[in-house]
Amino acid sequence: MITDCQKGIKVDYMKYKKEAYTWAQALCKYAGADEVFCEDFWDRLQKDEEIYEEFVYYMLYQDFLYKVKIEGYGLVDLMIFQIDRFRAVMDQDVADMRHNKDKMLLMAFNSLLQMRKNPEPFLELFRTQTGTDYPGKY
């Protein structure tokens, strides 16, 4: 149970398991993910209490709790990074990515779960594949 930053009340995120599972299934469906991915995602999500809380918080409030940070990066950072990557895909006129916010959100949560286990590949991508040039990038 954590304090909801916006409402200042205690929220027991574990009581939302059924709703969160239904929402995860819907998110996967709208994102074009298959049932195998969805079940694997849900299994990993349940095993990480903090990321699960982030997921339920977003489900409830359509906003980011931004509690989980891995090597200084959180869900919003992953969303921004993916937006840059999706823009590159959109430039190639891949219709699937053009308007699929559900896929972007699902992939951000999925990336956060993956990053928890192995942050190094993500850190490398953040260092090398940003849309911004900065001293020492290359």
Side-chain angles (χ1 to χ4, degrees):
M1 190 174 313
I2 64 172
T3 301
D4 176 335
C5 302
Q6 291 182 342
K7 310 236 185 284
I9 57 174
K10 297 283 184 185
V11 177
D12 181 2
Y13 289 99
M14 298 319 255
K15 77 177 186 178
Y16 291 99
K17 283 256 184 187
K18 184 178 178 184
E19 293 90 343
Y21 179 65
T22 300
W23 191 62
Q25 288 178 311
L27 193 60
C28 287
K29 178 184 174 189
Y30 297 136
D34 64 20
E35 190 175 321
V36 172
F37 176 89
C38 186
E39 292 304 316
D40 177 61
F41 172 76
W42 179 248
D43 183 55
R44 290 180 291 121
L45 185 63
Q46 290 183 92
K47 290 177 182 174
D48 191 307
E49 187 175 322
E50 289 182 322
I51 297 175
Y52 170 79
E53 286 179 355
E54 294 262 2
F55 186 79
V56 172
Y57 187 88
Y58 191 88
M59 177 188 77
L60 293 173
Y61 303 110
Q62 301 298 295
D63 197 4
F64 299 102
L65 182 59
Y66 210 54
K67 177 181 172 183
V68 177
K69 297 273 182 119
I70 302 168
E71 300 288 333
Y73 295 97
L75 191 60
V76 173
D77 300 305
L78 286 165
M79 288 288 294
I80 292 167
F81 179 73
Q82 288 183 164
I83 288 169
D84 284 345
R85 294 189 74 167
F86 284 173
R87 281 186 185 146
V89 171
M90 285 171 35
D91 288 345
Q92 298 169 18
D93 199 31
V94 178
D96 176 52
M97 300 293 245
R98 186 174 297 275
H99 300 290
N100 199 332
K101 295 175 186 172
D102 295 313
K103 188 168 191 172
M104 223 177 338
L105 182 64
L106 178 63
M107 291 301 105
F109 275 106
N110 188 56
S111 294
L112 193 62
L113 288 164
Q114 291 172 331
M115 195 172 174
R116 173 82 86 190
K117 284 192 172 241
N118 185 11
E120 223 17 75
F122 292 92
L123 297 175
E124 182 63 23
L125 287 173
F126 289 144
R127 284 191 293 268
T128 61
Q129 291 190 12
T130 63
T132 306
D133 289 332
Y134 53 87
K137 179 177 176 182
Y138 297 105

